[in-house]
Amino acid sequence: MPPHDLLVRPATPGDRDAVWPLAYRFATSFEPVREVFDATWERLIAKPQALVLVAEEGDGAVVGYLLAHSHLAFFANGPVVWVEEVMVDEDRRGGGIGRCLMEHAEAWATSIGAAYAALATRRAATFYRALGYEESAVFFRKLLL
C-alpha cells in the first residue's frame, strides 16, 4: 500500500532536476549526460505518445518516476505500450510507490486502447510478476553508439 501522502502525476518541466538523480542511478548500460537528459526531458514531456510520471510525497519530494511510450503495432490491431523506465528512490522501495506508478501507466494504456503493456527488466522480475506480468519473449539489443 503506498503512503497516503503519495501523489502520482504527469511530470512537468519543473520536475527535471528532481528526476535527474533518479534517472542517473537507473542507468546501468550507459552513463547519462546531464545536457542530453535535459534536452530529452523537454521533448518527452511534450510528446503525446510518451508518458512521464513522477511520484511525489506530501512534502513535495519526488521519490520515483516512470517513462512509457505508446506506438501502433500491426499484430495488436492498434496501440501497445512499452514501459521504458521505472525508478523508485532506493530508500523508498518496498512501500508501494513502484506499484502505484505502474497502475497509473496501465490506466493510461487502457485509456488509449492499448492491447497490452510490456517491458524488459534485468533486476526486478519478481516485482513485475507480483503485478501480474508474465514472461513473453526474449529481449535482444545491439549497441549502435
Side-chain angles (χ1 to χ4, degrees):
M1 186 95 180
H4 294 294
D5 64 347
L6 185 74
L7 172 66
V8 173
R9 60 172 175 76
T12 67
D15 294 318
R16 183 186 68 200
D17 290 341
V19 172
W20 162 249
L22 293 168
Y24 188 85
R25 289 193 302 273
F26 176 85
T28 58
S29 300
F30 297 93
E31 184 168 341
V33 174
R34 181 59 197 251
E35 295 77 22
V36 177
F37 170 86
D38 289 349
T40 302
W41 176 266
E42 297 301 322
R43 291 175 63 196
L44 283 174
I45 63 169
K47 185 177 178 183
Q49 299 85 3
L51 175 68
V52 184
L53 298 172
V54 294
E56 178 182 80
E57 292 186 319
D59 62 0
V62 173
V63 294
Y65 79 92
L66 179 144
L67 169 62
H69 299 277
S70 68
H71 63 273
L72 297 174
F74 292 127
F75 73 92
N77 296 308
V80 298
V81 166
W82 185 261
V83 177
E84 196 71 44
E85 301 175 21
V86 179
M87 178 65 170
V88 173
D89 185 88
E90 193 170 336
D91 295 336
R92 303 291 288 123
R93 291 181 190 160
I97 296 168
R99 175 181 292 273
C100 208
L101 285 163
M102 288 297 295
E103 288 172 352
H104 278 75
E106 291 167 4
W108 175 69
T110 300
S111 76
I112 62 170
Y116 66 83
L119 54 94
T121 187
R122 274 188 252 173
R123 302 173 291 204
T126 302
F127 168 71
Y128 293 111
R129 283 188 192 103
L131 297 180
Y133 287 77
E134 59 188 16
E135 290 184 40
S136 176
V138 177
F139 180 79
F140 288 90
R141 75 173 187 178
K142 181 178 183 179
L143 295 178
L144 303 174
L145 299 174

